[in-house]
Amino acid sequence: MSATQPQGGVVVSQGPGTGFAGPERSRGPGALRVVAPRDGFTLGSEDAPIVIVEGYVEDAEDTTVWLVANGYRAPVRVRDGRFRHAMPVLERTTRLWIEAKAAAGEPPRKSGEITVVNTAPGPVSVLAIESPLNSGAQLRVTASWRPIADRFDGVVNGIPLRRFDAGRDVEPSTLFYMRHVQSGVFSLIVRGDPSISTVSTRLYHLLNGQFSVRDVRSVPIGLGGSGIAARILFPFGVEWNQSEWFTGRAEGSDTITQFRFPEGVGWTERRIDLR
């Protein structure tokens, strides 16, 4: 079953039982309902590793709910009792549900749990554009790659990322993704129109085989320039600024090297490139 239509088409549940996710769905006042994707939905190897989670809430006071995905919690805005949220699913199995506040002393209200299967899990990076883009604004994301982390030769520039447009009423509405088939250092580079001074991005990837989500980062790209949204070392899936992953650091006049023992990993960057 193909999970995401070309150009980020909306995922719609099909077949018997369409409209509700799972037998344990929330009932009664303030119920939460997930209507897409359906339980057991499967992403094929050619699909974007992203699903659009769609549903309804019955309590008018629920203006924000929480999407829970394999332990990660994302706030989701509710408009007129409806929510639609684009969610990367990078592990082989992702369990999803929605939560909302309950009365004092009561556990959170929950929708039924659904499972999404990814037949081509990581290594993959998904860069979500969290800031809204003006109509007609152009944004491009590419990658550079070098095969050896502690050397600067063999750099390949201008590797395009695939784009997933979820739709204007979906948050985030624009995402870019890249499957990593080679080891080395990847830098994700954002370029935009001169009218775009900064963009807010969030990175999703796998770190040591576990789903990892980075806090929103502001990337300056003013005057038609470019900015680095992330630097990632594969096959480990670690970012340069995840200092807790490294066991040591050495600084030279022009470079900084971070390393990890006993694995023997060394990663060097030029100071000027880290500004």
Side-chain angles (χ1 to χ4, degrees):
M1 170 66 74
S2 178
T4 49
Q5 301 173 9
Q7 303 302 315
V10 177
V11 180
V12 180
S13 33
Q14 302 175 1
T18 295
F20 302 107
E24 303 298 326
R25 61 182 178 269
S26 174
R27 299 178 181 274
L32 312 173
R33 294 184 173 90
V34 176
V35 300
R38 61 178 174 80
D39 187 29
F41 199 79
T42 299
L43 292 159
S45 60
E46 297 302 315
D47 292 315
I50 301 160
V51 295
I52 298 175
V53 182
E54 180 176 359
Y56 300 90
V57 301
E58 293 186 354
D59 192 333
E61 295 184 0
D62 287 329
T63 58
T64 300
V65 294
W66 292 89
L67 170 61
V68 182
N70 281 5
Y72 171 66
R73 295 169 59 85
V76 177
R77 285 201 293 176
V78 178
R79 297 189 179 106
D80 299 322
R82 180 187 182 200
F83 58 85
R84 301 183 73 208
H85 188 84
M87 185 67 206
V89 286
L90 309 186
E91 297 177 274
R92 184 167 297 278
T93 301
T94 299
R95 291 177 172 82
L96 302 167
W97 66 85
I98 295 293
E99 289 186 0
K101 291 181 180 179
E106 296 293 329
R109 289 174 287 123
K110 295 175 59 175
S111 71
E113 179 182 306
I114 65 172
T115 298
V116 176
V117 177
N118 186 349
T119 61
V124 60
S125 297
V126 177
L127 190 71
I129 307 302
E130 296 285 329
S131 50
L133 300 177
N134 295 327
S135 178
Q138 297 297 312
L139 199 68
R140 182 167 173 252
V141 179
T142 60
S144 68
W145 169 74
R146 70 177 197 261
I148 304 175
D150 57 0
R151 290 169 52 183
F152 298 106
D153 52 345
V155 175
V156 177
N157 293 305
I159 304 170
L161 274 69
R162 299 187 68 178
R163 179 168 176 155
F164 181 91
D165 290 308
R168 289 190 175 275
D169 61 340
V170 181
E171 295 179 344
S173 62
T174 305
L175 305 95
F176 296 85
Y177 67 97
M178 179 180 190
R179 301 190 187 277
H180 301 278
V181 296
Q182 295 173 303
S183 299
V185 175
F186 291 83
S187 296
L188 305 187
I189 303 163
V190 182
R191 293 180 173 85
D193 290 341
S195 61
I196 305 175
S197 58
T198 61
V199 293
S200 296
T201 65
R202 189 189 300 273
L203 179 70
Y204 301 78
H205 61 97
L206 294 181
L207 176 59
N208 296 329
Q210 298 297 314
F211 185 56
S212 177
V213 186
R214 191 193 62 195
D215 291 339
V216 171
R217 176 180 296 168
S218 180
V219 181
I221 58 169
L223 301 177
S226 62
I228 302 294
R231 292 180 175 87
I232 317 168
L233 175 61
F234 281 93
F236 306 100
V238 64
E239 284 192 88
W240 172 263
N241 61 354
Q242 288 180 281
S243 57
E244 70 281 359
W245 189 83
F246 299 93
T247 58
R249 178 184 179 100
E251 299 195 18
S253 58
D254 299 319
T255 62
I256 298 174
T257 299
Q258 298 189 102
F259 49 86
R260 178 181 173 95
F261 290 115
E263 290 85 349
V265 177
W267 183 357
T268 302
E269 292 291 344
R270 295 185 178 95
R271 286 181 179 273
I272 192 171
D273 295 332
L274 296 174
R275 293 177 181 174

